Amino acid sequence: MAGRLKFYGWGLENTGFDQGERDRLFWFIKNKLDVEPRAVAPPQVSDIALTPPRIQAPATLAAIFANDPYERLLHTYGKSYPETVRAFAREFRNAPDLVVYPRNAADIAALLDWASGANVAVIPFGCGSSVVGGIEPEVGGNFAGTVSLDLRSLNRVLEVDATSRAARIEAGILGPQLEAALKPHGLSIRHYPQSFEFSTLGGWIATRSGGHFATLYTHIDDFVESISMVTPAGVIESRRLPGSGAGPSPDRMMIGSEGALGVITEAWMRLQARPSFRGGAVFGFPDLFAAAKAVRAVAQAGLYPSNLRVIDNQEAGTYGVNDYGETLLMLAFESADHPVDVWMARAMELVQDHGGRKHRDESAALAWRTAFIRMPYGRELTVPLSVINDTFETAITWDRFEAFHASVSKATAEAIKEATGQDGTVSTRFTHVYPDGPAPYYTFNAKGTPGRVLEQWRHIKTRASDALIAAGGTITHHHAVGRDHMPWYRKQRPALFGQALAAAKATLDPRGILNPGVLVP
Amino acid sequence: MAGRLKFYGWGLENTGFDQGERDRLFWFIKNKLDVEPRAVAPPQVSDIALTPPRIQAPATLAAIFANDPYERLLHTYGKSYPETVRAFAREFRNAPDLVVYPRNAADIAALLDWASGANVAVIPFGCGSSVVGGIEPEVGGNFAGTVSLDLRSLNRVLEVDATSRAARIEAGILGPQLEAALKPHGLSIRHYPQSFEFSTLGGWIATRSGGHFATLYTHIDDFVESISMVTPAGVIESRRLPGSGAGPSPDRMMIGSEGALGVITEAWMRLQARPSFRGGAVFGFPDLFAAAKAVRAVAQAGLYPSNLRVIDNQEAGTYGVNDYGETLLMLAFESADHPVDVWMARAMELVQDHGGRKHRDESAALAWRTAFIRMPYGRELTVPLSVINDTFETAITWDRFEAFHASVSKATAEAIKEATGQDGTVSTRFTHVYPDGPAPYYTFNAKGTPGRVLEQWRHIKTRASDALIAAGGTITHHHAVGRDHMPWYRKQRPALFGQALAAAKATLDPRGILNPGVLVP
C-alpha cells in the first residue's frame, strides 16, 4: 500500500475527489439538499486526545504490537456514516488500547491465548471498510481492554492449483495484491466489492461480501473451497472439496462469522480464468418497476449474465449519469471460453420485449461505475457540512418486491422529513439479482442539523430497518450485521438459531473475547 | 402410493425386475462373479418374531401411532447393503417400538415433548431410502424405547408463487406427488435422485440429496429458500429470501442435519420452469482419465450443462450398456427459455477436442439411465445369493483426482480379494461435476461367503473409506453420513466444528432424543 490510510475517511492520505468530482458533489448538495458547500479540513492525529492504553502487550508478542496514536485512531472506526461523523467530531473514546499485526497463525493463537487469560477483547480487522460498525471496539465495560487485530501481514498467495482453478490464500491480502499475484497464472478471483482496493479476502469471507457477478456467484460464499480459522479453543480447518454432503457445512458456519467465532487466517478459493470475451449493453426504462420486470425475465432464463444491474431514475440523477429521466439497466456477459453473442442476443431480446430502450453505447454504465467506485471519497466532504448520507441493502422475493419497495422507500423518505424537517433523496438500485428475487440497494441523502446528525441518522436508519424487516426482507444482503444491524438481525434470524449460534460461540470462544456484541448479543 | 412398500427391499410389494432384467443380472453374477443364480423367496412378515414394544403411545396422540408388525418392520431399515442382508436374515432386533404418523407440525411438537420427557429416541423417516444407516433405530441402551416418525402424511404443496418460481411444500411429500402438484403451474423442482419415487422433500434436505443437474445446482441445498423445523426446544423458521448476508446461514445448519437437530416440516423451494428445449449427445473415450479431461474442460467453460456424467468401461459393462470397451460421457443441456444449440455445439467441440468420439445417438445414455433407475430392485435377488454389492461416492479436486482414484479403486479391489479370496468388480462414474473437481461414484460387486457377508462387506467398506479419507476426499457427496459413515465423518469434519455442532444440538435437543448416534456421537 503506497501511503498511509486515512483514519477518518476513505482511502489513502492525500487522495480523494478531483476538482470535477467535487464540483458535481457540491452542485448536488446545494441544488438537491439546499446545503451550502464549503471545504472543511479533516481531523489531524494531533487534534485528538486519546486516553492511555489500559493494558500492556505480553512480552513474548511485544514485537508485533503497536500503540501509537495513529494506529489506535485508524483501528477505531470502519467507514460507516455515524463512524465518520464521530471521527470528524474528534470523538475516539472507543479507540483500541493496542493494535497487533500478527505474522502468522501461530501469532494469532498466542494472542488469543493471552487475551482469553487477560480478559481482553479482540477485534479482527481486515482493512477497516466495514459500513455496519463491525470493527469498532465498542465492547461494553466488562473487559480489561481492547486489541484490534490487523491481518494485513498475512498477505501471500501460498499455492496456486491451475488444474482445479483454485488457490490457497492468506486472509489479510488486499484485493489488488490478490489480483496481482493471480494474474501471472491467467486466473482471477473476479470478486470486486466497492471496497475492493481497501478490503481483504478474510474480510470478504467473514462478512459474506457481495462481488462482481450480479447473478449466480453473487457472494464470496460460492468461491470458498475451504477455510482455516484460529479460535481461542484451537484451529478449525475444513477439508478442501469441490462439493460435499457430509452433514451441515463447516464452511457455512465460518462464512459470515464476522470475527465473532474465530480469526480466518487462510482459505482455498475457487478462481476464474480471466475473461477474453465480453458483451454489454445499457437500456432505459421509465421506472424501476418496469426495469424489474425485464430483470426478472433475464434472471429466470438460465443465461447467467455477469452484470444485470439496475439504477433507478433518482440514483442515475444523483450520480450525474442522467437528468433523473430514466431507469438504467446494465447487462453484460463475459467468458474465457466462448463468444457471448448468443447469450447477449437472447438477454437483449428479453429486455426489449419488456420495454427496454437500448442505448447507443455503454457510456451511461461506465459513468455510473466510475462514480460508484469513487463515491466513498465523497463523505469526508459532506460529513463536515452535516449532510446525512447512507446506504442500506436487502433482498426480497419477486412476488413481494413492489409492495416491499413502496413501503421501505416511503418509510425512509418520511423518516428523513420527520428527523430533519425537510425532504431528502431516496434512490434505489439492484446490485444482484436471483431467479426468485432482487437485492435492492437504497441510498439516502438529507440535510442534517449541525450537532444533531447522529440522532437524525439513527431515526432514519431505524425507520428504514423496521420497514424492511416488517416487509419480509433481510437486514443485509452483503454489508454484514456488525453492531449497527444487531437489533434487526435478532428479529430476523430464528431465535433458536441465535441460541445455537451462541452455543457454538461458547465452544469456540469460551471467554467471549472475540468481537463482543457482534452476531451473539 | 398404490401399494405397500416392501420392508426388505426396494419399492412396492409385487414389483421388481422383469424377466429380461433378471436374466441380465443373473448373467452378470454368473459370468463375472462366479455365483450360481437361483430365485430365493423374500422374507414375510410372519417369518419374523419381534419383541413386544417397550413403550406405550401417549393417550393424547394414540390416534397417530401404529405398532403392528409390518409397520415396525418397514421402519427398521433403510436400503443399504448391510440392512438388506439383515432383513433377509430375518434379523430385526432394532425394530422401532412404535411408529408415528404426525398430521402436522403441532403433532410433531407434542410428540417431541412427550419423547423428551419419556426418554424415547425419535428417528425421523421420509420414505426409508437411506443407504447409510440413517434411519435404523440403533440408539444404544440408554433409551426407554424408540419411535420412527414417518412424515408422509405431510404431503401437500401449500402455496405456489409463480412470480418468484417458488413454492411452500410440506416435507413428507414424495417426488412424484410433488411433480404432479407443480405440473399444472408449469413448474418443476427438477431434482431427481435415484430414489425419486421413494424419497421425500424433507429427506432430500436433511441429507443434502444430489439430484438431476450434474453441474451448478448439484445438491438440493441450492433450491432451499427457507425451512421450518420442529425441535424439542421449539420451532425454527427461517426467513424466505432469495439471498442474504446476515451472519452464518440458518438454513445451512438445517440442511444436512439428518434428523439429529430437528424434524423438517416444510420448506419454501426454488423451482424451475419445465424445459421445452433440449440437446444431448453421448461420447466414447478409451478410459476414465481421458473422459475426465474432457469433463473438466466443459465444467470450467461456464456452460452449465444439465447432464455431464461419465460411466467408466467397467460400469458400462456391468450395466449392460456396452462390452466394457469404452468409457461413456453423457452431455445434455435443457432450457425453458431458449434453444440450446450453441451451448451444445461449444461443449461438443470441447469434448471432441479432448478425444471424445461422438455416438450416432443417445441410446447408450438411455440404456444406462433405465438400468440405473431400476438397479435398486436387483439387490433382493442378489443378497440371498451372498453377492456383496454396494456403492460409495465422494468428491475431490481435479489436481488430486488421478492419484485419488488410483488409490481408492486399488484399495477397494484389494479389500475384496482380502475379504473374499476372489476378485470382484469395481466400477466408477461421475454423478456431478464442479469447476474444481468431480464427484466420483464407485460401485463394487463381490462373491461373498454365505454367513460371512456382513464382515466381508465391513472390511471392504472400511478399506475403501480409509483410502478415500486418506487421499483427501469426502466420505459422502450426496448419500449423507448416517450411522455407517460416522467413523470417517469424525475424521473429516474439523474436531472443533464437531464440538460446535454438538453444542448446537444440546441447545435444540437437550435430551438428545433425535436420531441418536447420527452426526453427533
Side-chain angles (χ1 to χ4, degrees), chain A residues 161 163-165 208 225 239-240 244-245 247 270 296 300 337-338 346 399-400 436 469 473-474 476, chain B residues 161 163-165 208 225 239-240 244-245 247 270 296 300 337 346 398-400 436 469 473-474 476:
Chain A
D161 168 8
T163 308
S164 313
R165 292 193 183 159
R208 302 184 69 184
E225 219 175 49
R239 190 164 273 233
R240 189 188 163 207
S244 182
R270 301 184 178 116
R296 177 163 75 89
Q300 294 182 339
D337 178 73
H338 47 262
R346 176 56 186 152
D399 60 319
R400 295 174 291 175
D436 52 338
I469 288 293
T474 172
T476 176
Chain B
D161 167 8
T163 308
S164 314
R165 291 191 183 163
R208 300 182 69 183
E225 218 175 50
R239 189 165 273 233
R240 188 187 165 209
S244 181
R270 300 181 180 119
R296 177 164 74 89
Q300 294 181 339
D337 178 72
R346 175 55 186 153
W398 289 114
D399 59 319
R400 295 173 293 174
D436 51 339
I469 288 294
T474 171
T476 177

Side-chain angles (χ1 to χ4, degrees), chain B residues 260-276:
Chain B
L261 300 183
V263 181
I264 296 167
T265 53
E266 59 178 68
W268 272 98
M269 298 300 296
R270 300 181 180 119
L271 305 173
Q272 310 292 311
R274 302 184 83 85
S276 44

Side-chain angles (χ1 to χ4, degrees), chain A residues 301-350:
Chain A
L303 293 163
Y304 312 120
S306 54
N307 199 359
L308 184 62
R309 293 189 164 90
V310 172
I311 314 294
D312 82 348
N313 308 43
Q314 182 63 47
E315 182 111 345
T318 303
Y319 278 92
V321 175
N322 67 26
D323 287 334
Y324 300 87
E326 202 176 47
T327 287
L328 301 171
L329 187 158
M330 305 171 189
L331 172 70
F333 288 86
E334 63 178 39
S335 174
D337 178 73
H338 47 262
V340 296
D341 316 42
V342 173
W343 283 252
M344 268 302 287
R346 176 56 186 152
M348 284 177 27
E349 187 175 43
L350 284 166

Side-chain angles (χ1 to χ4, degrees), chain A residues 111-120 511 513:
Chain A
L111 179 89
L112 296 184
D113 256 5
W114 164 75
S116 290
N119 191 32
V120 170
R511 301 300 187 92
I513 59 162

Side-chain angles (χ1 to χ4, degrees), chain B residues 175-183 187-190 192 196 274:
Chain B
Q177 292 174 332
L178 176 53
E179 284 303 305
L182 296 176
K183 195 168 185 180
L187 296 168
S188 163
I189 199 162
R190 292 201 84 60
Y192 307 115
F196 176 73
R274 302 184 83 85

Side-chain angles (χ1 to χ4, degrees), chain B residues 203-224:
Chain B
W204 301 341
I205 296 172
T207 61
R208 300 182 69 183
S209 162
H212 171 69
F213 293 107
T215 72
L216 200 56
Y217 298 125
T218 56
H219 286 98
I220 194 74
D221 311 24
D222 301 310
F223 296 130
V224 173

